[in-house]
Amino acid sequence: MSWTESGFGSNDYWLLALIIITWSVFFCLPKIFSKQFTIFIFVYSLTIPSIMDNSFGVVPFNYYDIMDGPKYTGMDLVVYLLYPPYGYLFLFFYKKFCIDDKHIVFFISIATIASICFEWVNHKMGVFHYKNGYQIIYSPSFYLISQTLLVLYYRMVELKH
Amino acid sequence: MIVTFYIFISWMLIGLFLFNKIQRHAPLNEVTLLFLISCLINTHTYVGLFDTFNWMKTTTDTELFIGVLIYKNVFVPLLITCFSFLIDRNPRTKKILFLILFTLIILCVDLINVFQGLYSFKQWNHFYTIIYFSIFLFTILVILKWYRGLVLSSGGKNNVVD
C-alpha cells in the first residue's frame, strides 16, 4: 500500500492544510464534554464515513473515489482525520446554543447544508471524485441520518445522567 | 438467502443486548463504543488489507455484497461486542469456553460465506480467519479495559459534560 496513487499533488496539500486547521479549531475550543464522550464522538465520526466509503465507494456500487483514484492508499486513511473535529464541532454548537426540541430540525438542516458545502469544496479540490451517476445531491441523506443519530444518542446519554 | 440469514442472526444478537441479561452487565456507552470500534476496524480490514493485498476477493454481485455489508458492519461487530462482554465478566474457565464457542461460530460463518460466494480466498484460509478474529477480540478487550480505566481516572464520573 503506497501513500498516493499519482504522487503528492494539490489535493494532498489541501487535505493536510485542512486537517491542521480543523484540529487547531478543536484544540482552541473549550472542552465541554467529558473525555469518554469526546472519544465516543471521535469514534462515531470515524466509523460512519468509514462504513459509507467502504460500502458505496467500492465495487459493485463504486459511487466515488477518495483522493487520487480507486486504490486504497495511505492518504485515503488520512482523510478520516478530517471527521472527528467536525463531529465535535457539531455537538459543541448543539450544546453551546442549547438547541431545544423546537429548533433541532432547523439546527440539523443548517449543519447538513454546511456539510454539503464542505464536501463540495473538497470535491472541487480533488479529495472526492464522483462516478457511476453519483451526485452531491445524494449526500444530504447520509448527513441527515448520521447527525440525527448523534444528537439522539447525546440526548439519550445526557438524559441518563 | 444469505442476506436474510445475516439479518436474522444480527437481529438475534441485538435482541440479546436489548432484552437479555447482557444488557445488565454492559452499560450503553461501552456497548456503543465497542460496536463502533469493531465496525471501524473490520470495515477497514476487509477493504484496506484483504482486498488491497489480494488475500481475499470480495464478491461484486450486488445481492451478495449486501450480505457482505451486513456481515462485516453489523453481524461481526455485534458478535465481537457480545463475546468481549461475556469473556470479560466471566471466570477463567468460562472465558476459555466462550473463546472456543466464539472460534466455532467464526469458523462456521466463514465456511458459510465461502460456500455462498460472499468472498473467496486467494492467499488466505480458515485458520488465518480464526487468528484474525482472535486478535480482533483481544484488541477489543484491551480497548474495553482502557476505556474503563479512563472512567475510573475521571473519578468514576461517566458524565457527558465536564
Side-chain angles (χ1 to χ4, degrees), chain B residues 28-89:
Chain B
L28 176 74
N29 56 345
E30 286 181 3
V31 173
T32 324
L33 189 86
L34 291 196
F35 177 78
L36 289 174
I37 292 175
S38 306
C39 269
L40 184 68
I41 295 172
N42 207 38
T43 191
H44 280 293
T45 309
Y46 271 85
V47 178
L49 271 177
F50 298 160
D51 281 346
T52 304
F53 292 102
N54 210 19
W55 292 344
M56 272 187 201
K57 177 87 183 79
T58 308
T59 180
T60 51
D61 178 86
T62 313
E63 193 189 331
L64 290 177
F65 189 72
I66 292 167
V68 173
L69 290 183
I70 300 169
Y71 166 73
K72 68 177 181 183
N73 296 325
V74 184
F75 171 70
V76 167
L78 278 171
L79 189 77
I80 293 269
T81 309
C82 181
F83 271 90
S84 55
F85 282 109
L86 287 171
I87 290 171
D88 180 71
R89 74 161 196 248

Side-chain angles (χ1 to χ4, degrees), chain A residues 110-159:
Chain A
I110 295 285
T112 301
I113 292 167
S115 307
I116 296 162
C117 294
F118 189 64
E119 188 184 314
W120 182 78
V121 173
N122 280 316
H123 166 59
K124 288 289 165 197
M125 293 307 293
V127 177
F128 304 115
H129 306 274
Y130 306 131
K131 55 187 193 183
N132 294 331
Y134 189 86
Q135 291 171 344
I136 198 165
I137 201 72
Y138 302 132
S139 299
S141 44
F142 298 118
Y143 293 124
L144 286 172
I145 294 167
S146 62
Q147 288 169 353
T148 307
L149 282 176
L150 185 58
V151 168
L152 281 177
Y153 183 81
Y154 172 74
R155 289 176 68 143
M156 202 162 74
V157 175
E158 195 186 40
L159 202 74

